[in-house]
Amino acid sequence: MKKLKFQNGDTLPILGLGTWKSKPGEVYTAVREAIKIGYRHIDCAAVYNNEAEIGQAFEDAMKAGDVKREDLRITSKLWNTSHRKHQVQPALEKTLSDLRLDYLDLYLIHWPVAMKENAPFPYRAEDMISLEEIPVEETWEVMEACQTKGLARHIGVSNFSISKLKKLVSSAKQKPEMNQIELQPLLQQNDMLEYCGSENIHLTAYSPLGSRDRSANFKDPNEPDLFENEVIVKIAERHNCSPAQILIAWAIARGTAVIPKSVNPKRLQQNFDAANIELTGDDMSDIARLDKGFRFITGSFWAVEGSPYSLESLWG
Ligand code: A2P
């Protein structure tokens, strides 16, 4: 399997397992199964509310001899309610304790959005704190300190626009090494790919399959279905594989890490096997034409009326 390389030579397998929406009661088996299949990169986050169960799976997999800690690459993310300086390290330590680890391979600021401690879901305007009040740069200073202390080998961000990355890069002692964003054929973000390439910032593609299992609150009932996209279906027929596999192979061909979520053993295997599919130049140019800047994850939950965030300020 292809690997991304960080500045210090550490590597990250390009295909990882996504765990957003993997339910308690399902995620333990999914992680154990994924490790048996050969997944060595697992993407987690505090807000997914399943890290304790994933931690149990890691511990049991290591005890059973399925994998060694040093062969795993584990990512987690700082939630919006812990952006104040004094909150960052305790949040990371809670994640480490839930995941039963002494260090993370990669720790990301989940969103460039700050919120009050314990803000309940669904989020209200009065739960939001503006970036003027808690600038991302302040949160980042503690991310850097956590890295220096060895709590996270690498640090980065998620859902950052180019302009937010540029601002952070200009003030950071340690540049972010990763931006995890939505990337799929309808949202190719080529300018982001180019900018991050020029700054040695890696990209991870989330929702590579269109995240059909997210809750109806976050979903437009008429949104497109990537699995039924004619171009994707035709390419899948040519390669005698599934549309999901083409979507994964496409992300890998662009040099981005990709973290399809599944809790189903057959689909976990199928997704893992997609790392061996080589798309042709024609396949890539056919898919290139599908780009239309369409987001499945719009970020509209931060832009509720009265919030200091708008979609323009988020993505612009
Ligand atoms: P399941 O977990 O039952 O396999 P995303 O990674 O974009 O968030 O998409 C996750 C959704 O895609 C989940 O509903 C997941 O269901 C489904 N999925 C994952 N892998 C495949 C696959 N190979 N074929 C079809 N659906 C898949």
Side-chain angles (χ1 to χ4, degrees):
M1 161 143 0
K2 261 205 234 165
K3 289 177 176 162
L4 300 183
K5 217 178 211 173
F6 291 111
Q7 296 287 302
N8 71 349
D10 286 352
T11 57
L12 179 73
I14 199 153
L15 174 66
L17 174 68
T19 62
W20 175 39
K21 308 175 264 73
S22 296
K23 295 192 190 83
E26 289 179 344
V27 74
Y28 174 87
T29 323
V31 171
R32 290 294 308 266
E33 185 62 30
I35 289 172
K36 282 188 191 134
I37 289 171
Y39 286 80
R40 293 293 177 264
H41 164 186
I42 318 278
D43 183 81
C44 312
V47 77
Y48 302 161
N49 268 323
N50 55 12
E51 288 194 324
E53 192 170 321
I54 295 174
Q56 182 73 58
F58 289 156
E59 187 172 296
D60 292 352
M62 288 185 238
K63 271 195 193 141
D66 295 345
V67 73
K68 293 195 194 106
R69 172 66 187 96
E70 61 265 33
D71 295 328
L72 282 174
R73 297 292 179 271
I74 300 164
T75 301
S76 185
K77 311 184 195 88
L78 177 77
W79 189 235
N80 305 351
T81 49
S82 303
H83 274 214
R84 289 196 193 274
K85 281 187 153 185
H86 69 276
Q87 295 174 307
V88 177
Q89 187 172 332
L92 170 49
E93 284 167 343
K94 167 76 165 74
T95 272
L96 286 174
S97 142
D98 283 346
L99 291 173
R100 304 185 188 210
L101 303 172
D102 339 305
Y103 69 91
L104 289 173
D105 296 279
L106 182 60
Y107 196 48
L108 309 178
I109 296 181
H110 205 147
W111 284 89
V113 169
M115 282 166 26
K116 287 186 188 153
E117 196 162 15
N118 302 322
F121 185 81
Y123 307 123
R124 302 159 308 171
E126 60 263 40
D127 298 323
M128 308 289 171
I129 306 174
S130 73
L131 293 184
E132 283 73 51
E133 193 176 333
I134 315 182
V136 161
E137 289 68 26
E138 264 181 46
T139 310
W140 186 253
E141 277 177 33
V142 191
M143 297 285 286
E144 291 175 330
C146 289
Q147 183 185 27
T148 306
K149 289 176 189 164
L151 299 175
R153 298 249 161 118
H154 300 274
I155 51 176
V157 296
S158 179
N159 293 300
F160 271 47
S161 63
I162 294 177
S163 67
K164 288 205 174 69
L165 277 176
K166 282 187 175 163
K167 188 157 175 267
L168 182 56
V169 163
S170 70
S171 73
K173 272 191 266 158
Q174 161 71 52
K175 273 197 305 196
E177 290 190 90
M178 175 65 75
N179 188 20
Q180 182 179 126
I181 54 175
E182 179 180 343
L183 289 169
Q184 36 79 13
L186 307 181
L187 182 69
Q188 304 194 9
Q189 308 212 47
N190 292 320
D191 46 352
M192 177 71 81
L193 223 61
E194 198 178 309
Y195 169 71
C196 287
S198 72
E199 288 287 351
N200 288 317
I201 300 171
H202 289 298
L203 288 167
T204 297
Y206 76 59
S207 298
L209 310 179
S211 276
R212 300 199 300 181
D213 56 341
R214 69 198 192 284
S215 93
N217 305 340
F218 299 150
K219 230 171 145 173
D220 173 350
N222 301 316
E223 72 182 21
D225 185 335
L226 292 175
F227 296 153
E228 286 175 10
N229 181 287
E230 275 179 26
V231 171
I232 302 294
V233 168
K234 273 213 183 100
I235 298 174
E237 281 165 4
R238 284 210 287 271
H239 288 266
N240 200 15
C241 69
S242 72
Q245 288 181 303
I246 295 300
L247 296 167
I248 296 166
W250 173 80
I252 294 174
R254 296 210 313 159
T256 65
V258 59
I259 46 168
K261 170 265 176 185
S262 182
V263 291
N264 172 287
K266 279 204 180 115
R267 290 192 283 275
L268 283 167
Q269 180 72 56
Q270 193 193 107
N271 296 348
F272 192 73
D273 293 342
N276 298 322
I277 296 170
E278 299 243 354
L279 298 181
T280 65
D282 283 350
D283 297 335
M284 292 304 283
S285 28
D286 288 351
I287 299 177
R289 284 193 285 274
L290 296 177
D291 191 17
K292 52 179 184 175
F294 175 85
R295 288 180 192 278
F296 287 101
I297 311 302
T298 62
S300 57
F301 25 88
W302 314 130
V304 289
E305 212 184 319
S307 157
Y309 299 92
S310 63
L311 294 186
E312 297 71 45
S313 71
L314 190 61
W315 304 122

